[in-house]
Amino acid sequence: MTEQPLKHRSIRDFAAAPSAAQQAALETTAQETASSNYLQQFTLIKVTDTAKKQAIAELTHCPFVAGPGLLYVFVLDTHRNLRQVPAADAHNLTGWAAFLAGAADCQLAAQALVSEAETQGLGTCYLGSILNDPRQMISLLQLPRHTFPLLGVMVGVPEGLSQPKPRLPHAVVVGDNQYPTWDAAALQDYDNTTRDYYRNRPVNARDSGFVDMLLAYTKTDLHQRDEIGRILKAQGFELPQ
């Protein structure tokens, strides 16, 4: 196993954006990633406008987005392909199959970009909080119908390195031919491990374990995310229940 994937950690303090050459390599890597049915249903938006970065920092509740790093937004995009087929044949590009394929394209491309960035010594941070207010994101990025802003990635020269967070035990996550079996002790041990991690990390230390995090998440304000179904319908996607 190579060491690079095991060194992944989220970086939120950046000293500078990637160079022009680094950006070109990141964007090419994202485009070269595997694509469901070769439909290539994602668009990559590079946000460099200061006012837009500040607005997105406020929407995502991530102040570092407005800082020196570079923000990429991965947009699920069936609009481009729909422009090239007769309207009568559009259903397969607006339904669940196309939507899930486009979501996979975005996520795979984002992972490829992050991996390439890390091999270049850059730091990255995924931004699922792009979904906090999709309507405003659609407006800010001037997205047409049949597109949807799915996730963001901040990338840049890291100001410092954080410690990687402990992951769930292998036996809890990986099953042989069926859903894995595990006992409560395995999860309790993991909860203790994460509590030790949070207590001892040099920045933002706290007395919190994995279960505490889960309980906190159940009370989290999801902002506009419960409206995503209505927003997707307004964007032209046909996703029947």
Side-chain angles (χ1 to χ4, degrees):
M1 180 181 293
T2 59
E3 290 186 15
Q4 190 61 47
L6 301 181
K7 293 180 179 179
H8 172 73
R9 73 281 312 274
S10 294
I11 302 297
R12 293 176 176 83
D13 294 312
F14 299 97
S19 68
Q22 287 173 321
Q23 291 177 38
L26 296 177
E27 293 153 18
T28 299
T29 299
Q31 275 200 269
E32 291 294 330
T33 308
S35 171
S36 179
N37 289 297
Y38 190 48
L39 294 174
Q40 305 173 74
Q41 293 184 140
F42 84 94
T43 287
L44 188 57
I45 295 184
K46 184 163 48 179
V47 184
T48 58
D49 179 82
T50 302
K52 289 190 177 185
K53 285 184 71 177
Q54 182 60 48
I56 295 171
E58 293 171 5
L59 288 177
T60 58
H61 303 289
C62 295
F64 63 90
V65 168
L70 176 62
L71 172 64
Y72 285 106
V73 178
F74 288 78
V75 177
L76 188 158
D77 186 357
T78 65
H79 171 81
R80 184 171 52 237
N81 289 342
L82 280 165
R83 293 287 298 270
Q84 302 178 78
V85 300
D89 299 326
H91 173 70
N92 281 1
L93 293 174
T94 60
W96 275 112
F99 178 80
L100 293 175
D105 281 359
C106 285
Q107 292 160 348
L108 290 171
Q111 178 61 63
L113 184 146
V114 165
S115 294
E116 173 63 21
E118 291 176 345
T119 64
Q120 296 189 35
L122 298 169
T124 63
C125 184
Y126 288 103
L127 294 169
S129 50
I130 287 293
L131 295 174
N132 279 359
D133 193 334
R135 287 191 182 92
Q136 287 203 55
M137 288 297 304
I138 289 167
S139 177
L140 272 171
L141 302 178
Q142 299 176 294
L143 300 182
R145 278 168 60 83
H146 304 109
T147 64
F148 185 76
L150 197 69
L151 75 156
V153 173
M154 277 293 289
V155 58
V157 179
E159 187 69 64
L161 295 178
S162 59
Q163 293 298 314
K165 293 179 180 178
R167 295 311 201 225
L168 284 161
H170 183 272
V172 169
V173 176
V174 180
D176 291 328
N177 301 310
Q178 63 180 32
Y179 191 81
T181 57
W182 38 264
D183 57 35
L187 291 180
Q188 182 60 58
D189 288 345
Y190 176 67
D191 192 63
N192 293 336
T193 298
T194 56
R195 189 174 299 278
D196 288 342
Y197 162 79
Y198 282 117
R199 279 175 176 166
N200 296 310
R201 69 180 182 176
V203 179
N204 296 326
R206 63 177 189 264
D207 186 15
S208 176
F210 187 70
V211 175
D212 294 319
M213 187 200 72
L214 290 177
L215 292 172
Y217 183 77
T218 65
K219 299 175 177 62
T220 298
D221 179 3
L222 296 178
H223 305 284
Q224 310 300 315
R225 299 189 197 199
D226 284 341
E227 297 182 29
I228 285 175
R230 288 188 287 273
I231 296 168
L232 287 170
K233 185 175 181 179
Q235 281 294 98
F237 292 95
E238 303 170 5
L239 308 174
Q241 300 300 308

